Amino acid sequence: MTQALFVGGAWVEPDGGHYEVIDPATEDVVGAAPEASRAQVHAACAAAREAFGPWSRTPPEERAAVLSRAAGIIRERLVPYADLARAETGATAGTARAMQVGVASARFRRYARVEPAEWPIAPQITEAGPMGGGGVLGALAVRQPVGVVSCITSYNNPWANPAGKVAPALAMGNTVVVKPAPQDPLSVYRMAEALEAAGVPPGVVNVVSGRSVAVGEAAVDCPDVDMVSFTGSTAVGQRIAEVCGRRMTRQLMELGGKGAAVVLDDADLDAAVSGIGTTFSFYSGQICTAPTRVLAQRGVYDRLVERLAAYAARLRVGDPADPRTVVGPVISAAHRDRVESYVALGRAEGAVVVTGGERPALDRGFYVAPTLLADCTNDQRVAREEIFGPVVCVIPFDEEDEGVALANDSDYGLIDYVWSGDTARAFRVARRLRAGGVGVNTVGRNMEAPFGGFKRSGVGRDVGSYALHAYSEVQALVWPG
């Protein structure tokens, strides 16, 4: 598969040639991805700018019909699209089908059913102020599309993550330029293919890719871009924010996480282990919402460590195409080395490797064994920095207040978790955590709940109706009463 760029409704040969996309499970070549030039990225932004006026004036019902057709096409092509996603990302077959392509289809379908009540602000009548000339003025607040949105997406889910940006942005009348992660961009081009087949007008959706940092920079600093929606590391997010700040470009940032899982002494340990254990298996720990930093009250600490170790040791690591596999590879050899370096660092800092810590005995692929680090302290780097792999560290605490303080003693604040047999207690602790979301006795996600982080975990909220607000501006219309 040799891929072209998608710019202005046309499939365009890249100025920079192509580079190989590698299957992290087999180390085979999946296909050839296009390397865009800076000029081609700016051309994509210009095409989106030209298409913005007509698309923003298209009746919402017609925009919704395009999204609905795209959802159907993605669902019809579920198997080949999921096979490609599995090959690019190393996700297990079940995850690729349900959580990648399946969620993408669901997101297009969800934003094809936007209710009018979800996006306008209720009309309100306000009395004229001192400069109003007396009398009463009517005021109506409405939502308008932002304009051209540059969507820069992460490698861990090349379907659900871009769809979560593109679908609500298009529903609100914006046009988009998508810059996928260099490791697995081919799936995003299949999404563009589905949107093209669904009848999206030329220039409304554009996709450009490349390994060069210059490609992402061009997608941020182009004067035609009105908003940048980014998912990725905090370090990269900071650099993007600096560029956006110079041009006053609107931002939506979903950045790193180091989720604290507070396990209180009255918790259901089976439920806690099952939830925390998803860090080992779900995307092989390459997920910002994972409960990677476990804070266990002394009364349950030893039992929790023992059960987590047994859970991790039972997980089957191997070929993600095999339905028996639970833990696939990480995205690249370089990332495997990074994760392994953190395990070595944890040992050096005094953590105890209870299970894992050794590279699985597999001939090919970028595999990391599910690893549990116990007797950690909150000042260790393994407890403070995002590892982004199947590694969990466990920290003991004594009193509830101490557990809350440890959870909040982090640069990050995306998703935290609390387990307690006393629901009122769990909610009380949850309300004290400085995180954009808190799972109470669950690691599940409600896809209508606002999603985003406190502190260095991001800026803004999306998902559900909140995404419609994120990809729109508020306009006030005022008239004599």
Side-chain angles (χ1 to χ4, degrees), residues 155-248:
Y155 70 72
N156 58 346
N157 195 326
W159 277 96
N161 185 261
K165 299 176 185 296
V166 172
L170 296 185
M172 285 304 301
N174 302 284
T175 56
V176 299
V177 176
V178 186
K179 191 278 175 186
Q183 297 92 335
D184 51 9
L186 301 178
S187 289
V188 181
Y189 286 104
R190 301 287 73 74
M191 185 182 297
E193 173 185 82
L195 284 160
E196 181 186 34
V200 69
V204 171
V205 174
N206 307 268
V207 183
V208 291
S209 59
R211 292 181 295 182
S212 171
V213 173
V215 176
E217 290 175 343
V220 172
D221 65 21
C222 180
D224 282 315
V225 171
D226 299 296
M227 174 179 174
V228 175
S229 177
F230 172 71
T231 299
S233 72
T234 296
V236 175
Q238 285 180 296
R239 294 198 291 272
I240 290 173
E242 289 169 2
V243 177
C244 290
R246 290 195 291 270
R247 295 189 53 250
M248 298 302 291

Side-chain angles (χ1 to χ4, degrees), residues 209-301:
S209 59
R211 292 181 295 182
S212 171
V213 173
V215 176
E217 290 175 343
V220 172
D221 65 21
C222 180
D224 282 315
V225 171
D226 299 296
M227 174 179 174
V228 175
S229 177
F230 172 71
T231 299
S233 72
T234 296
V236 175
Q238 285 180 296
R239 294 198 291 272
I240 290 173
E242 289 169 2
V243 177
C244 290
R246 290 195 291 270
R247 295 189 53 250
M248 298 302 291
T249 303
R250 186 169 178 163
Q251 306 160 48
L252 177 62
M253 298 279 187
E254 181 203 331
L255 306 178
K258 191 68 178 179
V262 181
V263 183
L264 298 168
D265 52 12
D266 59 353
D268 179 338
L269 291 190
D270 288 338
V273 168
S274 178
I276 295 164
T278 61
T279 301
F280 302 125
S281 56
F282 194 48
Y283 298 125
S284 301
Q286 299 168 114
I287 184 77
C288 55
T289 59
T292 57
R293 185 169 56 110
V294 179
L295 307 173
Q297 200 160 13
R298 292 281 182 187
V300 295
Y301 177 82

Side-chain angles (χ1 to χ4, degrees), residues 49-358:
R49 169 63 61 204
E50 184 176 356
F52 170 65
W55 179 250
S56 65
R57 293 190 296 269
T58 299
E61 297 80 9
E62 293 183 25
R63 297 198 298 259
V66 172
L67 299 183
S68 181
R69 289 193 295 270
I73 291 167
I74 292 169
R75 175 59 61 180
E76 290 168 3
R77 301 174 183 176
L78 173 67
V79 173
Y81 283 173
D83 286 345
L84 175 60
R86 174 186 52 75
E88 281 194 292
T89 66
T92 61
T95 295
R97 291 191 180 194
M99 301 306 297
Q100 294 192 354
V101 183
V103 169
S105 177
R107 284 182 166 172
F108 278 104
R109 186 172 296 109
R110 187 261 182 262
Y111 292 106
R113 297 195 302 265
V114 172
E115 295 294 330
E118 287 185 305
W119 57 269
I121 297 172
Q124 46 193 317
I125 301 297
T126 60
E127 292 188 7
M131 302 300 292
V136 175
L137 295 180
L140 176 65
V142 298
R143 290 198 173 271
Q144 298 279 14
V146 178
V148 175
V149 181
S150 182
C151 303
I152 303 176
T153 63
S154 58
Y155 70 72
N156 58 346
N157 195 326
W159 277 96
N161 185 261
K165 299 176 185 296
V166 172
L170 296 185
M172 285 304 301
N174 302 284
T175 56
V176 299
V177 176
V178 186
K179 191 278 175 186
Q183 297 92 335
D184 51 9
L186 301 178
S187 289
V188 181
Y189 286 104
R190 301 287 73 74
M191 185 182 297
E193 173 185 82
L195 284 160
E196 181 186 34
V200 69
V204 171
V205 174
N206 307 268
V207 183
V208 291
S209 59
R211 292 181 295 182
S212 171
V213 173
V215 176
E217 290 175 343
V220 172
D221 65 21
C222 180
D224 282 315
V225 171
D226 299 296
M227 174 179 174
V228 175
S229 177
F230 172 71
T231 299
S233 72
T234 296
V236 175
Q238 285 180 296
R239 294 198 291 272
I240 290 173
E242 289 169 2
V243 177
C244 290
R246 290 195 291 270
R247 295 189 53 250
M248 298 302 291
T249 303
R250 186 169 178 163
Q251 306 160 48
L252 177 62
M253 298 279 187
E254 181 203 331
L255 306 178
K258 191 68 178 179
V262 181
V263 183
L264 298 168
D265 52 12
D266 59 353
D268 179 338
L269 291 190
D270 288 338
V273 168
S274 178
I276 295 164
T278 61
T279 301
F280 302 125
S281 56
F282 194 48
Y283 298 125
S284 301
Q286 299 168 114
I287 184 77
C288 55
T289 59
T292 57
R293 185 169 56 110
V294 179
L295 307 173
Q297 200 160 13
R298 292 281 182 187
V300 295
Y301 177 82
D302 290 336
R303 286 179 290 153
L304 182 65
V305 168
E306 180 182 357
R307 293 193 191 188
L308 279 172
Y311 182 98
R314 289 195 301 268
L315 300 177
R316 184 184 179 93
V317 181
D319 180 3
D322 185 335
R324 298 171 297 173
T325 294
V326 179
V327 182
V330 295
I331 193 67
S332 66
H335 190 57
R336 176 185 59 190
D337 293 344
R338 179 180 183 275
V339 174
E340 289 178 339
S341 74
Y342 269 105
V343 176
L345 176 63
R347 280 195 176 102
E349 290 180 318
V352 176
V353 180
V354 182
T355 190
E358 302 295 334

